[in-house]
Amino acid sequence: MSASPRPFYITTPIYYVNDRPHIGHSYTTTVCDVAARFHRFLGLDVFFLTGTDEHGIKVEKSAAERGVSPQALADENAAEFQRVLRMLDFTNDDFIRTTQRRHTLQVERFVQRLIASGDIYLGQYEGWYDEGQEEFVPDTRAKDQEYKSAVSGRPLVRMREENYFFRLSAYQQRLEDLYREQPEFVRPEARRNEMLGRLRDGLTDVPVTRTSFSWGISIPGQDKHVLWVWLDALSNYVTALGIGLEPGETDLVPPGRARFWPADYHVIGKEILFFHAIFWPAMLMALDLPLPRCIYAHSFWISEGRKMSKSLGNFIDLPTIQGYIDSFSLDAFRWFLITQGPLGSTDTDFARTKFIEVYNSDLANTLGNSLSRVVNMIGKYFDGRAPRPGGFAVSGFDWPALTNAAVDAAIASMARLELSEAMGSALGLVRQVDSFIDATRPFTMAKDESKREELAAVLYQCAEALRIASVLLWCAMPNKIEQAWRMLGQNIDPTAGNLRDLCRWGGLKAGTAVVKGEALFPRFADTEPSAQ
Ligand code: MSP
C-alpha cells in the first residue's frame, strides 16, 4: 500500500465511576468495538477510545456515603470498568480517566484559552438544577417538567451562585448552519430532529463552574470555582489525543495521535445528546478545533419489557451478563447486542426468550449448522481436503457475484454504523449456502460416482462462501470465527488490514486441510422454568 491508511476514530461516552458497569455501558462499548475491529481489518488506521468520568458532585457524594475519598472510589470503579473491558474482549486503544494529569492539564489550558477569548465569562446564576444529570434546567422547561428531573423524576433544586458561563448563545447561528450543511452530524434522524427543536427554542449561556463542591478541576488560580463535569468530561475526546499539548510534550500522550481528530463517531446513549450535539460542537468552535463527523445517539435497552431500575431490581447487570456468557458464549452475547440492539430510535427489550430464539436461529441452526455440514461432507467425501473448484454452476447461485455484493454491502453498512445490516449481509451468505445445499443435494450426488466433479464444485463453493462470510463476521464474534477458521484450514491475521483481499472469490486453495471441530454453537434447549 502506498498512501497511508485513513484514520478512523471512534469513542464511547466515558462512564461515571459512581455506577457499576451494566448492559448499557457494555452495549455502547460493544458497538464501538465491532466497528473498530471491522475497520482495522479493512486496513484503516483505527483509534478506539473509552474511559471513565471521575469528577463531579455525584462521585463526591457517593464517596462520602461510603466513607472513602472520591479518588479511592474512582480508582476502585475504574478498575472494575477495565476488568469488564477484558471480560468482553474489547480492543480499545486507550482508557482515559478524567483524574489523570494528562487530561486535567489540557482541560485547564482549554479553559484559559476560553477565558482569554471571552467565551467563558464570570456571571451570576439563579435557576433550577437537576442534580442527577448535573444540568441546569431553563425555567420554561423546569415548569413543563413540573420541577422534576426528566430522567430520574427527582425534584429539581433551586441554585443561586456566582458562576463562570460559557457563551453558548453566541454559537446559535453557526450551529444552525452546521445542522443544515451536515445533515448527518446527528444520527439517527429522530434524534437530529430533537436537537433542531432545541436550537429553535434558542440557546442560552451555560454556567460551567460550581462553587458547591470541590471534587473536580478548578479554574486555574481560582480554587473555589470547580468546572462543571460536562466541560471536563467532553474534553476527553481530544485530551486522549494530546490536542491540548505543546509540541515536544511527549511524556503524557504518545506523539502522533492528533491525526485521529476529528472523530468519525461519538457513540452515545440518547440521554446525553444535548451535551454532545450542541454544547460540545460550540466548545470546539470556540477553541477553533474541527468538529466530529457524527454523533450517533442510540436508544435504550429495557429489561423483560420494563425500564431497568434499581427499585425493580431488573438491571441486566454484570452477574446476569456473565450468566448469558456462561450459557451461550461471549460471542453469542455480542451477536445479540449487535444484531438486536437499539441503534435505531426505539428502545429494545432484552428478554431471555428472544435471546434464545436469536441464538438458535442465527447461530446454532444457521452459522454453526452450515459450517459443520460442509466441513463434515468434505471430511467424508474428500478426505478432509478442500476439493477443486471446477466449472459447475447452478442457476441463481453466481457465487463470485453473490459474495462480492454481500462484501460491498457489509462494508458500506459498517461505514454508516449500521451494524445489524452489515451482519445481515454476512449471515445472508450463510443462508444462501443452505439454500444451495438444498438445491444441489450433495449427499445424493455423493452416491453417484459420475457426479464426482459436480460434488467437488458444490462443496468448494459452499466452503468458499462460508470462508468469505466468516471474514465479515469476525468483528462481531472473533473467538468463534477463529475456531471456524481452524476448521476451514485458514491462517488469517485480522490485524493485517487485508479484509478486501481475503474476501475475493477463490481464496480457498484446493487441498487445504478442512477439519471437523467442536460444534461452534450447540443448539440451546431451555430448561429454565421462567422462560417456558
Ligand atoms: N459520564 C457521562 C458521559 C460523559 S461522555 C463525555 C455519562 N456516563 S454514564 O455512566 O451514565 O453512561 C451513560 C451511557 O451508558 C449512555 O450514554 C449509554 O451509552 C449507556 N447506557 C446507560 N444505560 C443504558 C441503557 N439502558 N441502554 C443502552 N445504553 C445505556 O452519562
Side-chain angles (χ1 to χ4, degrees):
M1 237 184 270
S2 51
S4 47
R6 180 173 102 65
F8 178 87
Y9 182 29
I10 188 162
T11 65
T12 74
I14 49 171
Y15 303 113
Y16 285 131
V17 282
N18 57 329
D19 201 2
R20 295 261 150 191
H22 57 67
I23 185 79
H25 314 109
S26 311
Y27 175 63
T28 316
T29 319
T30 305
V31 166
C32 293
D33 184 64
V34 169
R37 283 175 183 264
F38 188 88
H39 286 105
R40 275 190 210 109
F41 202 172
L42 198 56
L44 268 59
D45 180 18
V46 172
F47 198 77
F48 161 25
L49 182 69
T50 187
T52 39
D53 187 352
E54 307 192 352
H55 289 131
I57 195 159
K58 279 203 264 190
V59 177
E60 191 176 274
K61 277 190 177 170
S62 305
E65 280 162 22
R66 296 241 330 250
V68 297
S69 71
Q71 189 65 61
L73 179 77
D75 289 346
E76 185 188 314
N77 278 348
E80 178 68 356
F81 273 98
Q82 280 168 298
R83 188 182 69 77
V84 174
L85 294 179
R86 291 187 293 273
M87 163 180 158
L88 299 181
D89 242 351
F90 293 139
T91 57
N92 54 301
D93 294 288
D94 199 351
F95 187 92
I96 185 148
R97 302 181 52 187
T98 54
T99 53
Q100 288 167 335
R101 183 67 190 136
R102 60 171 172 165
H103 175 77
T104 57
L105 171 74
Q106 294 180 73
V107 171
E108 283 165 5
R109 287 189 185 160
F110 292 146
V111 170
Q112 277 165 330
R113 270 167 68 182
L114 293 171
I115 292 176
S117 65
D119 285 292
I120 287 184
Y121 63 91
L122 194 60
Q124 276 285 340
Y125 182 84
E126 184 179 344
W128 296 102
Y129 188 64
D130 179 338
E131 280 189 322
Q133 286 292 95
E134 307 251 12
E135 184 183 8
F136 282 98
V137 183
D139 285 351
T140 46
R141 216 153 40 87
K143 188 163 172 239
D144 290 349
Q145 295 170 199
E146 295 175 354
Y147 304 97
K148 290 191 186 124
S149 163
V151 175
S152 68
R154 284 213 293 273
L156 301 175
V157 295
R158 195 74 186 160
M159 287 264 263
R160 185 175 301 114
E161 276 190 349
E162 184 182 59
N163 292 118
Y164 280 91
F165 283 73
F166 176 74
R167 214 178 283 283
L168 185 61
S169 58
Y171 292 91
Q172 172 90 31
Q173 187 59 50
R174 281 181 67 186
L175 286 165
E176 285 173 16
D177 295 347
L178 165 71
Y179 274 70
R180 199 178 41 253
E181 287 157 17
Q182 218 173 300
E184 301 221 313
F185 180 67
V186 174
R187 286 177 57 210
E189 180 77 18
R191 299 282 94 81
R192 171 174 190 264
N193 289 335
E194 255 171 51
M195 291 303 109
L196 286 172
R198 295 290 285 264
L199 284 175
R200 271 194 301 274
D201 289 349
L203 301 176
T204 49
D205 293 353
V206 183
V208 290
T209 55
R210 306 282 180 274
T211 50
S212 52
F213 67 95
S214 61
W215 180 238
I217 304 174
S218 293
I219 296 269
Q222 302 195 47
D223 284 355
K224 74 166 189 168
H225 289 288
V226 177
L227 272 188
W228 178 50
V229 69
W230 276 100
L231 193 152
D232 169 354
L234 287 160
S235 306
N236 91 87
Y237 301 131
V238 292
T239 59
L241 304 180
I243 299 280
L245 296 175
E246 302 295 331
E249 284 181 328
T250 52
D251 52 330
L252 292 172
V253 175
R257 278 193 183 174
R259 72 180 184 280
F260 292 108
W261 191 254
D264 291 83
Y265 286 107
H266 288 319
V267 184
I268 57 168
K270 61 183 177 181
E271 85 288 18
I272 55 175
L273 181 57
F274 174 81
F275 308 115
H276 282 82
I278 296 207
F279 183 82
W280 178 228
M283 184 176 152
L284 289 166
M285 287 170 184
L287 289 167
D288 227 353
L289 288 171
L291 307 183
R293 298 198 172 86
C294 178
I295 314 291
Y296 198 107
H298 62 69
S299 303
F300 268 34
W301 283 101
I302 57 171
S303 164
E304 305 289 349
R306 308 177 72 171
K307 189 175 170 188
M308 286 189 274
S309 77
K310 288 216 174 80
S311 50
L312 285 174
N314 63 344
F315 259 93
I316 307 281
D317 56 8
L318 278 187
T320 313
I321 293 175
Q322 189 63 59
Y324 276 94
I325 295 176
D326 293 343
S327 305
F328 299 93
S329 77
L330 169 60
D331 284 2
F333 176 74
R334 289 169 59 102
W335 178 259
F336 183 73
L337 294 193
I338 288 309
T339 59
Q340 306 298 313
L343 266 189
S345 49
T346 45
D347 292 347
T348 306
D349 193 17
F350 196 111
R352 187 176 165 83
T353 43
K354 187 157 132 203
F355 191 104
I356 295 172
E357 214 175 280
V358 169
Y359 175 87
N360 278 334
S361 128
D362 288 357
L363 302 180
N365 298 347
T366 304
L367 180 58
N369 186 49
S370 192
L371 188 73
S372 68
R373 271 171 109 188
V374 170
V375 166
N376 286 344
M377 285 192 278
I378 293 178
K380 202 156 150 198
Y381 308 137
F382 293 94
D383 286 334
R385 297 276 159 189
R388 292 221 295 216
F392 178 72
V394 175
S395 117
F397 292 97
D398 176 352
W399 282 110
L402 288 173
T403 50
N404 269 341
V407 171
D408 287 348
I411 292 175
S413 299
M414 271 292 175
R416 295 185 47 74
L417 214 67
E418 288 163 350
L419 305 188
S420 131
E421 287 77 356
M423 292 302 100
S425 301
L427 199 69
L429 276 180
V430 181
R431 294 193 203 282
Q432 280 166 316
V433 168
D434 283 342
S435 315
F436 185 60
I437 293 177
D438 292 345
T440 53
R441 306 179 62 79
F443 29 86
T444 311
M445 280 179 179
K447 294 183 186 136
D448 182 345
E449 198 44 42
S450 72
K451 297 235 163 97
R452 189 88 188 135
E453 286 284 299
E454 284 174 39
L455 177 65
V458 164
L459 290 182
Y460 180 88
Q461 290 168 27
C462 291
E464 177 59 344
L466 289 177
R467 184 190 67 82
I468 292 175
S470 74
V471 169
L472 300 175
L473 292 168
W474 176 83
C475 57
M477 300 184 287
N479 300 297
K480 294 292 181 180
I481 293 300
E482 282 162 23
Q483 195 184 328
W485 287 342
R486 287 191 288 279
M487 292 166 74
L488 291 170
Q490 301 300 302
N491 184 10
I492 291 175
D493 172 8
T495 63
N498 58 347
L499 180 139
R500 265 186 195 280
D501 291 344
L502 288 170
C503 286
R504 220 161 275 135
W505 185 262
L508 177 65
K509 296 285 161 267
T512 303
V514 170
V515 285
K516 282 198 217 174
E518 264 178 56
L520 276 198
F521 298 103
R523 218 188 130 69
F524 190 83
D526 197 14
T527 47
E528 287 216 356
S530 63
Q532 283 156 40

